[in-house]
Amino acid sequence: MTVDLKTIAARFDQWGPSLTGSTRAVALMRIALAVIAITRFGGEIGFHQAQNPATLLLSGLFFLLVAMMFVGYLSRIACIGTGLSVMCLYIAGALTQTAGWSHHHVYLLGTACLLLALTECGRSYSLDRWRALNAARRARPTQPEPREYGFLLGQRLIALQLSAMYFWTAIDKTDRAFLSGERLEQTFVWVYSGRALDFVLAYPEMIALLSVIVVIVEYVLAVAILVPRWRIWVVPMGLALHAGFYLMLPVHTYSATAMVLYLALLDPARVHSFIDRIQGHERVAHHL
């Protein structure tokens, strides 16, 4: 049996977003991840928490980089800086046992920011684009505006990161303790005791069933989000899963981060045309 490398390469190239295309989806991710980063750490490393001049300086650097990422000024540099800052907090959390800092939620946020730097996320919804438009108008007043189009390798890598996250979290849960419902029941005892939902603890069979469903869904998502024709079914499934996590458990910014990263699964051209459509640009162009 012969192996057609060109066919294999072509099929591989079809699993995820194109390596070039509209930059609107990655720009939306850039803005949202900056908001999530400041929400997750702003209160814990604010200036009022600084113990010495060094930590005050580091806090200031973090807020500056996140602000640059949000407004899209030197966007790729800002994404690298924000990603490295979050990863430093992740490592510091592991070394100092700071509650919540060394969680895989933080790791996902940091790596997503770093991977976003492998896209031209500053070509849309950014101060970088405003500057580029002004420069182009001064140089060539009658020429078309610069396109919202660029390199998107990082978008594909973020999709792979999501797949890997689902796979390894499912692997972590594939043991007797979780599948029997014991681990989830312990979590529910910690979260729900003395509260309105403590009646759930009276139904261990339901908790065990819920545990099995979560593992199955995570295994399915690990594979299915990489198959374009399945995404119409699995994207709503994944969003519902993370909404459920957020409503039922204290997952902080994890659900928001994962849901934002679902933009990496969408066709950049379709995102671009959808935004044009809801803004009425297509209708204006038609009448003109």
Side-chain angles (χ1 to χ4, degrees), residues 23-34 69-70 75-80 82-83 108-122 151-158 260-261 263-264:
T23 53
R24 287 186 177 178
V26 291
L28 291 173
M29 277 193 281
R30 188 199 77 239
I31 294 168
L33 291 177
M69 183 174 169
F70 178 74
S75 300
R76 299 176 81 171
I77 294 174
C79 287
I80 293 172
T82 300
L108 178 65
L109 176 60
T111 54
C113 291
L114 290 172
L115 293 175
L116 203 57
L118 298 177
T119 71
E120 297 187 72
C121 58
F151 187 58
L152 299 176
L153 173 62
Q155 182 173 354
R156 178 169 292 194
L157 295 178
I158 288 172
V260 165
L261 297 186
L263 283 166

Side-chain angles (χ1 to χ4, degrees), residues 56-73:
L56 182 62
L57 178 62
L58 292 174
S59 295
L61 181 61
F62 172 81
F63 288 111
L64 174 62
L65 289 166
V66 173
M68 289 171 59
M69 183 174 169
F70 178 74
V71 301
Y73 177 65

Side-chain angles (χ1 to χ4, degrees), residues 6 9 15 30-32 42 68 83 96 102 132 137 188 250 267-268 274:
K6 289 185 177 179
W15 72 261
R30 188 199 77 239
I31 294 168
M68 289 171 59
T96 63
S102 59
R137 288 165 184 164
F188 283 176
D267 180 3
F274 174 76

